[in-house]
Amino acid sequence: MTDPYRQITFAGNGPWAAFSQNELYRMAGEANSGPLHIRVLFAAMGRMNAFGHAELRVGELARILGTTNTSTGEVTPCRRDSVSAAIKETKRRGLIAPESKSRCLVLRHHVFQKSTKDRWRCSVHDLD
Ligand SMILES: [Zn+2]
C-alpha cells in the first residue's frame, strides 16, 4: 500500500507544483519579499511538515520578520505586537489556519501538501 504521507493528491486530481522550502524560508526573512502577511506565509511554507504544521522556536518568527542592518548584518527582531498583528492578518486573509500561532503556523491540506517519509509531529498543537 502506498504511504499516504508520500502521496500528494489535491481535489479533483488537480495540477500542483513544488517549491524549495529553503528558498521560501530565506525569502521570509527578506524585507523586500513583501508585506508581513506574505512573509509569514513564506515562513510557514518554508518550515511546514507533512501535517502542514510549521513549528518555530521561541522568538524565531520575530527574528525572521525583523530588520537586518545592511552594514553589520545584525537583526533587530520584529516587535511582539507587530508579529501578532502579522499572524492575525495572515489568518484574516485565509493564508494560514486559525489555530496558527507564533510557535506554529498551520497550512491547510487542501492547499499545501508535503511528500515525506518522516513522521513529523507538532509539539505546539500536541499532534502525533
Ligand atoms: Zn502545530
Side-chain angles (χ1 to χ4, degrees), residues 53 104 106 122 124-125:
H53 285 241
C104 182
V106 181
C122 177
V124 176
H125 290 101

mmCIF file of all heavy atoms in Angstrom, residues 53 104 106 122 124-125, ligand 1:
data_model
loop_
_atom_site.group_PDB
_atom_site.id
_atom_site.type_symbol
_atom_site.label_atom_id
_atom_site.label_comp_id
_atom_site.label_asym_id
_atom_site.label_seq_id
_atom_site.Cartn_x
_atom_site.Cartn_y
_atom_site.Cartn_z
ATOM 1 N N HIS A 53 2.109 21.697 9.535
ATOM 2 C CA HIS A 53 2.478 22.482 10.715
ATOM 3 C C HIS A 53 3.930 22.934 10.597
ATOM 4 O O HIS A 53 4.820 22.131 10.322
ATOM 5 C CB HIS A 53 2.298 21.664 11.992
ATOM 6 C CG HIS A 53 0.867 21.507 12.383
ATOM 7 N ND1 HIS A 53 0.348 21.967 13.574
ATOM 8 C CD2 HIS A 53 -0.175 20.969 11.697
ATOM 9 C CE1 HIS A 53 -0.946 21.698 13.613
ATOM 10 N NE2 HIS A 53 -1.296 21.084 12.493
ATOM 11 N N CYS A 104 3.790 28.023 15.931
ATOM 12 C CA CYS A 104 3.449 27.060 14.889
ATOM 13 C C CYS A 104 2.432 27.657 13.921
ATOM 14 O O CYS A 104 1.311 27.965 14.313
ATOM 15 C CB CYS A 104 2.894 25.768 15.478
ATOM 16 S SG CYS A 104 2.506 24.538 14.194
ATOM 17 N N VAL A 106 0.111 27.102 10.663
ATOM 18 C CA VAL A 106 -0.536 25.915 10.103
ATOM 19 C C VAL A 106 -1.097 26.216 8.712
ATOM 20 O O VAL A 106 -1.834 27.185 8.528
ATOM 21 C CB VAL A 106 -1.675 25.428 11.031
ATOM 22 C CG1 VAL A 106 -2.329 24.170 10.460
ATOM 23 C CG2 VAL A 106 -1.136 25.166 12.432
ATOM 24 N N CYS A 122 3.798 17.733 15.846
ATOM 25 C CA CYS A 122 3.781 19.128 16.277
ATOM 26 C C CYS A 122 3.634 19.155 17.781
ATOM 27 O O CYS A 122 2.588 18.781 18.308
ATOM 28 C CB CYS A 122 2.639 19.897 15.615
ATOM 29 S SG CYS A 122 2.545 21.596 16.216
ATOM 30 N N VAL A 124 3.639 21.878 19.552
ATOM 31 C CA VAL A 124 2.846 23.052 19.925
ATOM 32 C C VAL A 124 1.364 22.705 19.954
ATOM 33 O O VAL A 124 0.628 23.080 20.875
ATOM 34 C CB VAL A 124 3.112 24.218 18.946
ATOM 35 C CG1 VAL A 124 2.232 25.415 19.264
ATOM 36 C CG2 VAL A 124 4.580 24.613 18.959
ATOM 37 N N HIS A 125 0.889 21.978 18.949
ATOM 38 C CA HIS A 125 -0.513 21.593 18.874
ATOM 39 C C HIS A 125 -0.757 20.164 19.382
ATOM 40 O O HIS A 125 -1.848 19.631 19.234
ATOM 41 C CB HIS A 125 -1.024 21.733 17.436
ATOM 42 C CG HIS A 125 -1.150 23.161 16.997
ATOM 43 N ND1 HIS A 125 -0.214 23.782 16.205
ATOM 44 C CD2 HIS A 125 -2.093 24.087 17.262
ATOM 45 C CE1 HIS A 125 -0.583 25.044 15.996
ATOM 46 N NE2 HIS A 125 -1.717 25.252 16.622
HETATM 47 ZN ZN ZN B 1 1.332 22.852 15.075
#
